[in-house]
């Protein structure tokens, strides 16, 4: 059960609600986000919800049978829309493409990409400055100076930045330069990092774990939301399986199912989802018509020369055509 | 390596080719299909292919580095088109919807379905008369009499029939009434059944195994093709994984990858692919824009009352809307 | 619910039982095996089981909440023991090793293997004469003449034969020469073949499907048992997963779990379970101490030269040591 | 390639080696651990390794074709042994059982467990004080005060402590009280946390990820080792799959394969590996005979009442019997 409290709730009113919850043996947790004030209540007893709904200080109340609460569509039927400023929104009908290199490589790489995004009317640029790598001997990213440069160039052109954060320690220095923090697949259940994301006011996109369930992804989102940050996006990026002809198995089913379970926006990542440049557009089209609220892809002026993940990085030309077709397909479904 | 022989090849010419193959230590297997006459040649030695290509009796010759040969796109770049008669074709640009109940239930069920198909302009009806069931105590299908009735009704309306065959023993009695034989997921590597399918002249649609690889599916197709039957279709129907919110994981990646590897048509089965009625259309749209040559779905006048697989069976209304939207989406991609 | 009938049940008594079942809306299926006569009853109503248990003609009765019935340990608490004759039994404390080549290669191969088995005190020889192969161009086995020869040599030495049957059509010709029919992983849900196995009086070992669930394996066993053949063995042979350093993932958990769910013997196949010769003994030891009733492995006088599956075939020396250690380990657990 | 340097290598000698590496286009990274001083060298050129091996300052040199280097058995053939002090070692023949509750619950719980461990001659106690939980609303552990209490009681009895660390931030406060730091499955690829573990001098046990590959586990170990900490243990704890009758699929294959690939000790966790109390001993026996260097299990005086993971927690009696049988089984294999 979730109780949304009135903004100006008095101490007496709150006590009244808590007493009532005690009576029915419900435990509650106060959650204050940038948008509202909630009590997330967990218990098993059966009771007449109106007895609480009628109390002073209660703005809204719903039973939520799902194990995750605040991110559930049973709590909020209306889809959430995340506002990035400057007229860029995601969710509840607002669709966004995001493109950029796997790793930010340097000024020329940034400028070329920004130019292509502008040309295609795309408002969000992706790129890694700290890279999670299986091997300790692999390249680990351009770091904070690269991020600052990237931010400076994007700001000129009104492009928003999405980039992965791998540890809480980096939050402070990255904060001013990132518009959406990405939590990578390997950190999808790094609960301390998720807790940290709950304390900020900027959007967070959580990628599904390598073999994560959809419920686990929703739970991870609940960590951030219940920590105080409502601006959460979910990302399907393919799951691990036995098939060897592609990198990951893009789980197209995840899109309609997540959209049914949660009010949060769902983003598709076809680059990691299939891992082969020449098939990325087909998976992007599929994602768009299956109901995704956004698509994030890896692109590069010269894909074969991309510093990392070259195999799945598409060319600017392919990106441009893809953006156009995605728009047309979305137009058909209305 | 595949050698296509001239239709009227003489015994001497054939001997000439075989001698040459012996010289380079290649083993060959003669394959005669309804369309052509081939030698499938397997060996490792390096040689100048023109030395064989120039021989009398050779119509065409290609190296095929894939382990499957006749179904490989390295042999035949042009996509195959399968002609069902009466102007109904699949593949190489010809797209077909297929719909019908999981199990054929009886006359009313057939008539209602046929009527809906006609209304939607759909030419192929699916339905099981012999059903593979995990439990020996479950309903095993209406059997041959049901098939005959079904065929009679379909013929009136010009609708083609696709139905599953589970054992070679049933081939003779089913043959006159079926237009496309379906090999189910559990029989995807039933090699004796595949051999039997190679001996007939009617199209065969092979479903991917429960956890089959794409290569295994192509090998199974090679069984049928190399047995003498070129009319093979492949079907992606979802694979088993750990996720519990849906029945199978529809492998959208399989569509572009199969289309790249083989010249055979690729059909999508979103009903089994997600297993939840309300999400079937999204997966159908995704399949269409990812490049499928056809879509097969379970539909019923009253889905909740379907004899089998009710959970994944869509209503006539949903089917009708889906058919229309699939056409519009395909129109966009051209 | 399962009702075991008295051997000499009269028609009146049977009618009495059936009437009672009708009253409580249970459907029943008569199953007559080589050992006994049953009614497998399926229904949902709640009732006092003694009202049926007290009827004439009823020898034994049990509720079975599992979906499979006759193979459930809820029906038969006592483990089944399968008697191969000549003092060779499997199950209920009787443990058997089985060894032999992947494919039967010819007389020398048979004689060498038989000699090694005798030396190690092993009573059952494995070997394929019809081989399931992903590719239609691979070797498909020595066939019926090889089987006859094999049988002749084994009979001299009192060795029993286990071999795979791939299609019902071959049953008659194989029948006299095989002591245990193996149903391969790819045919684990070939229900027509399972039905055929239910009609014979010889033991059948069913391998778990490539990605089969344990319930599916038990259902497949139920097909054979409910068809009239109680002599069923189950075989864990590894399942498909994403890991690339071995062939299959031997599911050690399957052994204690199957032993808990069913009274049928459980055999381990470490050769396919890990697929790497040098690690087969460790998996055999693990299987033995986890509770397997038997172990089946691929062995060859010269493993590298084995006709098929050379990678996972162990040497005679390794086999000999393995057999000894398995016995010692089993001794410890008592 | 790995070069072990002489302890007292001079600056000139090091320069000599680096020049030689430059000549053959190898990049090198200096790694100084508590035991030795290495250059991990990565390059592709072919050359005579003796040209470097003969240089002054080189103590040992090996080519390592694996992608992980310092943890590879190609570098160090001799198995590593990790010394916990007070005569407790793991690896290279030294085997250790570890037992304790899922979560440390309080003083009584600790005292009871310590007593049982002492009775069974077990030297290492497991327990969580910070718990990773899918849901933000679940119990998250007793925290640092609980750890201090636990440490005080264990020290009296000479019992060592293994406990999970979830974030670098907690390292300092946990450090004095933990003998082996556990990295949980969800943090198996939390590379920043692994980096932090490389900077300490205490043993670290890394659990395989939920669907981690064995190579990924070895890479994670390489992170810690190349960070300067040689005291690394690997833990197989089951992987996620489709089967629903158990919690995880204990990958018994992982044990012999890891033991072949690395010199580091391999620990088995049958509690998480099957997740069902009654089957934990069978999986422990299997692990022991497959070659594990240690076994870690969840145990509790009253398993049904364990605060977390009750389903997989065994009783003290079961633990005691298990420890005895594991010893006997290991005795057989010698």
């Amino acid at each position: 059960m979730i109780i949304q409290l009135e903004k100006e709730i008095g101490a007496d009113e709150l006590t009244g609600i808590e007493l009532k919850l005690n009576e029915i043996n419900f435990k509650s947790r106060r959650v204050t986000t940038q948008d509202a004030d909630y009590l997330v209540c967990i218990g098993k007893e059966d009771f007449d919800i109106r007895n609480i709904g009628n109390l002073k200080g209660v703005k809204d109340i719903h039973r939520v049978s799902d194990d995750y609460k605040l991110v559930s569509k049973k709590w909020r039927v209306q889809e959430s829309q995340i506002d990035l400023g400057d007229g860029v929104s995601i969710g509840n009908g607002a669709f966004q493409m995001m493109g950029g290199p796997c790793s930010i490589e340097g000024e020329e790489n940034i400028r070329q990409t920004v130019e292509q995004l502008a040309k295609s009317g795309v408002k969000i640029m992706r790129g890694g400055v700290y890279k999670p790598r299986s091997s300790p001997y692999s390249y680990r990213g351009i770091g904070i100076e690269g991020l600052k440069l990237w931010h400076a160039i994007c700001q000129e052109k009104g492009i928003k930045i999405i980039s992965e954060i791998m540890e809480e320690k980096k939050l402070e220095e990255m904060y001013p330069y990132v518009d959406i923090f990405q939590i990578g697949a390997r950190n999808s259940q790094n609960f301390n990092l998720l807790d940290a994301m709950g304390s900020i006011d900027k959007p967070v996109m959580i990628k599904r774990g390598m073999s994560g369930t959809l419920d686990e992804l929703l739970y991870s989102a609940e960590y951030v939301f219940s920590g105080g940050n409502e601006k959460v996006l979910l990302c399907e990026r393919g799951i691990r399986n036995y098939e060897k002809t592609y990198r990951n198995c893009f789980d197209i089913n995840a899109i309609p199912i997540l959209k049914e379970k949660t009010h949060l926006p769902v983003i598709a990542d076809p680059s990691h989802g299939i891992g082969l440049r020449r098939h990325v557009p087909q998976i992007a089209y599929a994602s768009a018509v299956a109901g995704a609220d956004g698509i994030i892809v890896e692109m590069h002026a010269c894909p074969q020369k991309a510093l990392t993940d070259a195999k799945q990085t598409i060319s600017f030309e392919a990106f441009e055509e893809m953006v156009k077709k995605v728009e047309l397909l979305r137009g058909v479904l209305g």
Side-chain angles (χ1 to χ4, degrees), chain A:
Chain A
M1 181 172 63
I2 297 176
I3 300 169
Q4 184 175 351
L5 303 173
E6 294 287 356
K7 278 260 159 173
E8 322 261 289
I9 189 169
D12 281 8
E13 290 165 351
L14 189 61
T15 310
I17 297 169
E18 282 167 347
L19 279 172
K20 207 78 192 174
L21 289 169
N22 271 344
E23 270 177 35
I24 54 167
N25 290 312
F26 268 58
K27 287 189 178 171
S28 70
R29 173 168 158 181
R30 178 86 173 263
V31 169
T32 305
T33 71
Q34 54 277 81
D35 295 344
D37 208 349
Y38 310 92
L39 287 177
V40 179
C41 310
I42 295 174
K44 286 178 185 165
E45 233 160 274
D46 208 30
F47 65 95
D48 186 338
I49 200 172
R50 290 168 301 182
N51 292 343
I52 294 177
N54 292 333
L55 293 177
K56 282 197 178 164
V58 172
K59 187 173 172 193
D60 199 1
I61 183 166
H62 282 283
R63 285 185 204 279
V64 181
S65 55
D66 296 324
D67 285 334
Y68 40 85
K69 303 290 177 194
L70 291 159
V71 306
S72 171
K73 223 170 186 169
K74 294 200 178 110
W75 156 246
R76 192 180 287 176
V77 177
Q78 176 71 19
E79 294 188 5
S80 292
Q81 188 170 79
I82 288 164
D83 185 0
L84 298 172
D86 304 322
V88 184
S89 293
I90 309 177
N92 195 27
F95 181 90
Q96 296 297 336
M97 295 293 305
M98 316 180 193
C102 176
S103 300
I104 295 297
E105 300 178 8
E107 183 164 352
E108 194 194 350
N109 169 248
I110 299 169
R111 291 207 181 276
Q112 288 176 327
T113 309
V114 163
E115 196 178 325
Q116 179 57 47
L117 293 174
K119 198 173 151 194
S120 292
V122 172
K123 301 292 187 196
I124 306 175
M125 179 167 163
R126 65 144 288 146
V129 295
Y130 297 105
K131 300 296 301 173
R133 307 304 295 272
S134 294
S135 162
Y137 308 121
S138 300
Y139 174 70
R140 300 212 204 171
I142 197 171
I144 188 67
E145 292 312 314
L147 175 59
K148 287 180 185 171
L149 174 68
W150 179 18
H151 179 256
I153 299 172
C154 279
Q155 237 186 353
E156 290 169 25
K157 310 284 183 181
I159 301 281
K160 305 291 172 187
I161 283 178
I162 178 167
S163 195
E164 177 166 356
I165 180 165
M166 287 176 62
E167 48 175 347
E168 189 185 346
K169 240 172 34 183
K170 291 282 192 304
L171 180 54
E172 208 177 86
E173 69 176 31
M174 292 178 78
Y175 186 84
Y177 311 108
V178 171
D179 298 291
I180 306 177
F181 283 97
Q182 176 180 309
I183 301 296
R186 289 172 193 77
N187 278 318
S188 195
Q189 292 196 297
N190 180 336
F191 301 121
N192 299 100
L193 186 57
L194 294 169
D195 277 340
M197 291 297 110
S199 70
I200 62 169
D201 194 42
K202 287 199 171 180
V204 178
M205 183 178 85
I206 309 172
K207 288 195 157 190
R208 184 181 186 180
M210 201 86 77
S211 294
T213 65
L214 298 180
D215 275 6
E216 285 171 349
L217 181 56
L218 290 164
Y219 270 133
S220 292
E222 186 85 10
Y223 261 90
V224 179
F225 201 126
S226 72
N229 185 0
E230 298 206 358
K231 300 176 181 169
V232 187
L233 304 103
L234 306 175
C235 180
E236 163 60 32
R237 45 78 74 196
I239 50 180
R240 180 168 274 174
N241 76 359
Y242 60 85
E243 175 65 32
K244 292 171 192 170
T245 58
Y246 47 70
R247 177 170 174 183
N248 289 304
C249 179
F250 186 80
D251 185 1
I252 189 82
N253 290 356
I255 297 175
I257 288 183
L258 285 173
K259 294 290 296 176
E260 181 187 41
K261 288 182 179 290
T262 183
H263 52 84
L264 300 173
V266 175
I267 309 300
D269 173 355
S271 301
H272 291 84
I274 190 161
L276 298 165
R277 190 187 306 153
R278 61 195 179 281
H279 301 311
V280 165
Q282 278 72 22
I283 305 307
Y285 304 154
S287 303
V289 300
D293 297 294
I295 292 173
I296 184 167
V297 295
E298 295 185 359
M299 64 188 272
H300 196 280
C302 183
Q304 311 85 282
K305 295 194 183 157
L307 190 58
T308 51
D309 271 357
K311 262 186 154 176
Q312 69 197 33
T313 299
I314 63 173
S315 67
F316 285 0
E317 295 69 36
F319 181 75
E320 197 166 332
E321 193 193 332
M322 196 182 84
V323 172
K324 282 182 198 155
K325 285 199 176 159
V326 163
E327 200 182 333
L328 289 171
L329 290 170
R330 284 183 38 84
V332 166
L333 295 183

